[in-house]
Amino acid sequence: MKVSVIVPAFNEEKLLVDTLRSIRSAAEVFVRTGWAWELIVCDNNSTDRTTEIAESEGARVVFEAKNQISRARNAGAAAATGDWLLFIDADSTPSWKHFENVRNCIRSGRHLAGGCHVQMEPMPPWAKAVQHVWNWISRTFRLAAGSFLFAERRAFEEAGGFSEEVYATEELILSAALNTVAKRRGLQALHIMPSPALLTSGRKMDLYTAEEHFRFILGGIFNKTKTLGDADACHLWYDGRR
């Protein structure tokens, strides 16, 4: 068994070291199990020291010129050699328990993919309600957050990978497709692990106002095609603020 850990990164020099070191520490779970693993960082056209830092931390770096997170994740997957793919965002710090949960899920043979609850820090009070609602949606409808999503490689390919037609919510589209693949194979839907929650950066909550966040959410609901298919409309991810 081999697990490929894939980290898409766009101008992540501030947080990438902590992320990669936490991944290396957590991956000891795989090593003790006798599994192989690899660490791949996809530099999504960064202008900072992202590639230099990734290489210094022992990651294999691939490059994706078009600034789109779904393309970055797919480029990392294309370079991966693992039987399972584990996508982790460059501002998230998984623990050994997260990787143990992934291992146990793979061993069970009941699921083709999974994710976990998220906990953003720092986070203003208004965002706590958003986080609580998202974790409920994730658990209830079996949808994984992009910050931590794992899938059997064959299932990922059968589902079509991350949609490159959108600049946000690509993880929800993939989750739904993976649930369809699982149903076809007679397996259970995505396994969403409620505990422990993945610690991920809440910087967007500080960098952007509540109004900006809710404007995007409303645009995604009422004008989905125009909003999600336009990088400018998804500026919370693509304007480079870090």
Side-chain angles (χ1 to χ4, degrees):
M1 179 67 69
K2 183 175 184 180
V3 179
S4 298
V5 182
I6 299 163
V7 181
F10 169 55
N11 287 349
E12 290 290 359
E13 64 180 5
K14 293 181 180 178
L15 300 177
L16 188 57
V17 169
D18 286 345
T19 294
L20 298 183
R21 289 180 181 176
S22 71
I23 289 171
R24 285 201 165 280
S25 177
E28 285 299 312
V29 169
F30 299 149
V31 174
R32 290 196 300 271
T33 305
W35 292 1
W37 77 285
E38 64 181 345
L39 176 58
I40 298 171
V41 171
C42 181
D43 183 342
N44 196 196
N45 205 23
S46 299
T47 57
D48 64 0
R49 297 174 56 247
T50 289
T51 286
E52 178 185 340
I53 291 170
E55 290 177 340
S56 70
E57 291 298 321
R60 178 156 61 99
V61 178
V62 297
F63 185 76
E64 168 54 51
K66 184 169 182 178
N67 192 206
Q68 184 182 16
I69 188 142
S70 54
R71 287 179 181 269
R73 290 184 175 130
N74 286 339
T81 59
D83 306 291
W84 282 72
L85 309 176
L86 170 54
F87 299 91
I88 299 176
D89 278 356
D91 61 352
S92 302
T93 50
S95 70
W96 66 270
K97 186 62 177 176
H98 292 103
F99 280 34
E100 183 180 69
N101 287 343
V102 170
R103 181 200 64 187
N104 293 344
C105 182
I106 293 173
R107 277 178 159 178
S108 76
R110 294 193 298 268
H111 304 271
L112 294 175
C116 66
H117 282 189
V118 297
Q119 179 181 340
M120 294 178 287
E121 290 186 7
M123 185 169 54
W126 65 266
K128 292 182 180 179
V130 175
Q131 176 180 278
H132 181 75
V133 170
W134 160 250
N135 283 333
W136 178 83
I137 291 172
S138 174
R139 183 176 65 252
T140 303
F141 297 100
R142 305 298 177 177
L143 303 172
S147 53
F148 193 94
L149 186 157
F150 62 96
E152 180 199 64
R153 185 190 191 93
R154 289 191 305 114
F156 175 83
E157 293 172 349
E158 188 175 340
F162 290 97
S163 172
E164 296 180 4
E165 296 181 1
V166 296
Y167 285 83
T169 72
E170 69 287 333
E171 69 270 48
L172 307 186
I173 296 171
L174 177 60
S175 292
L178 286 167
N179 283 331
T180 299
V181 172
K183 186 176 181 181
R184 265 199 307 264
R185 294 197 198 174
L187 298 174
Q188 296 180 26
L190 267 74
H191 178 54
I192 304 299
M193 303 173 290
S195 179
L198 176 73
L199 184 61
T200 189
S201 172
R203 59 187 170 178
K204 284 188 177 68
M205 303 303 176
D206 288 328
L207 292 170
Y208 304 93
T209 65
E211 180 183 352
E212 287 178 287
H213 282 276
F214 286 114
R215 191 185 303 130
F216 169 77
I217 292 171
L218 291 175
I221 293 172
F222 295 107
N223 200 355
K224 180 171 65 175
T225 301
K226 183 177 180 181
T227 299
L228 300 180
D230 181 3
D232 290 334
C234 300
H235 70 280
L236 278 70
W237 288 268
Y238 296 99
D239 65 8
R241 271 188 266 179
R242 293 288 186 270

